[in-house]
Amino acid sequence: MRRYSGVLMLLSILGLAGALAYGTADFFGGLASRRITAMPTSAIAAAAGLTALALTLPWLGGEWSASAVGLGVLAGLAGAVALPLLYASLALGPMSILSPLTAVVSALVPMTVGLARGESLSPIGYGALGLALIAVVLVGFVPEKGAVRPSLRGILMAIGSGAAIGVFLILIDLTPEDSGVNPLIVGRAVNAAIMAAAAVLIWRIGVRRAGGKWVGRTMSDGGAGSVAAHPRTLSPAVRTGVLLAMLGGFCDACANVLILIGLRLGELSVMSVLVAMYPAGTILLAALVLRERIAPVQWLGLALALVAAGLLALG
């Protein structure tokens, strides 16, 4: 029993650490997107994350198998679906509703699958899961003045993004235990290829609309593909954006490794709820670096998240 409690405590630490790493990746990605737009940011982050994961192969690599590769490909496809839907839903708004909706769905989908497969917790553990879901909603809540009701399209996109994130976690959980980080590498390679192809496509469309001429532009002046400019003409803002996107990719890779280890050690239902607290990392960094205000409801969510994690460690 003491050993099981120790595993749950480690699982809680890994889950929260993974959530903070995801939130940090989102923070860097958001800053990069302001400079080089979303699609180039996603492509650069995916390539940087792939490089980071590849560097772990000597220590965390495992056996290559058809199952590891196949599930890795599917996980990469799920990730490629989740990100565009997330950005699109948040662009439609209101973020105060759609952001926590995405996070909750991303927790509920794998949690439901895990419990249906026979995962079980103590009464304290089940109560902690419920408390954690409440924390996810409060942490992800983004106060907006005059926020309106979300459109059906925005709601469906948010649900789709959350479901895709949940499917990603399920697929990684299904990978063979002896496969190490190999499925993550395959998934990230697929994701990077899709994002790069999308970025090139957008660039080509931009060139055609510009009459065959292309000048690198940042998001501030409405550009849609600043990274596509000639390297010698890249502005400081673009170079900063590329660096931020790379940092986001590295943080995302770290989050994936932490979550993979957590899934190997413990329950999918527990990890999925803990990982859904990823907005916490974003809002904390925004407060520390950008001096953005954290709303009281978000502070309450952070407090409940810590309490839930502690209860999960006990139960």
Side-chain angles (χ1 to χ4, degrees), residues 280-305:
T282 306
I283 64 171
L284 287 174
L285 277 175
L288 292 173
V289 178
L290 304 179
R291 303 299 180 186
E292 291 187 2
R293 176 176 170 271
I294 299 179
V297 67
Q298 291 176 310
W299 280 118
L300 177 59
L302 291 172
L304 289 180

Side-chain angles (χ1 to χ4, degrees), residues 11-230:
L11 192 62
S12 296
I13 293 172
L14 288 170
L16 288 179
L20 290 174
Y22 267 143
T24 302
D26 286 349
F27 176 76
F28 285 131
L31 292 181
S33 296
R34 295 179 183 179
R35 294 164 173 81
I36 59 176
T37 73
M39 193 57 69
T41 294
S42 300
I44 294 170
L50 176 60
T51 302
L53 288 172
L55 292 175
T56 68
L57 269 175
W59 300 276
L60 301 177
E63 295 294 325
W64 289 97
S65 64
S67 177
V69 173
L71 289 169
V73 169
L74 293 176
L77 293 174
V81 169
L83 194 60
L85 284 178
L86 175 62
Y87 286 157
S89 68
L90 296 181
L92 288 174
M95 291 179 63
S96 57
I97 296 175
L98 297 181
S99 177
L101 175 60
T102 301
V104 169
V105 173
S106 73
L108 284 176
V109 170
M111 185 184 77
T112 302
V113 171
L115 295 176
R117 289 190 324 202
E119 295 180 0
S120 61
L121 298 169
S122 68
I124 293 178
Y126 286 115
L129 284 182
L131 187 62
L133 287 175
I134 296 174
V136 168
V137 174
L138 298 180
V139 169
F141 183 80
V142 183
E144 292 180 90
K145 292 182 179 180
V148 297
R149 291 182 180 180
S151 65
L152 177 61
R153 183 183 177 189
I155 291 174
L156 291 177
M157 284 182 173
I159 292 174
S161 176
I165 295 172
V167 168
F168 172 84
L169 292 174
I170 294 169
L171 291 169
I172 294 302
D173 183 59
L174 291 174
T175 57
E177 291 192 5
D178 62 355
S179 61
V181 296
N182 296 349
L184 292 178
I185 291 176
V186 173
R188 186 51 56 91
V190 170
N191 188 276
I194 294 174
M195 293 296 104
V200 170
L201 179 61
I202 291 175
W203 173 73
R204 289 179 65 88
I205 293 173
V207 170
R208 290 178 181 177
R209 289 180 176 175
K213 296 180 181 180
W214 185 260
V215 179
R217 295 171 292 172
T218 62
M219 193 174 185
S220 61
D221 55 29
S226 53
V227 179
H230 294 293

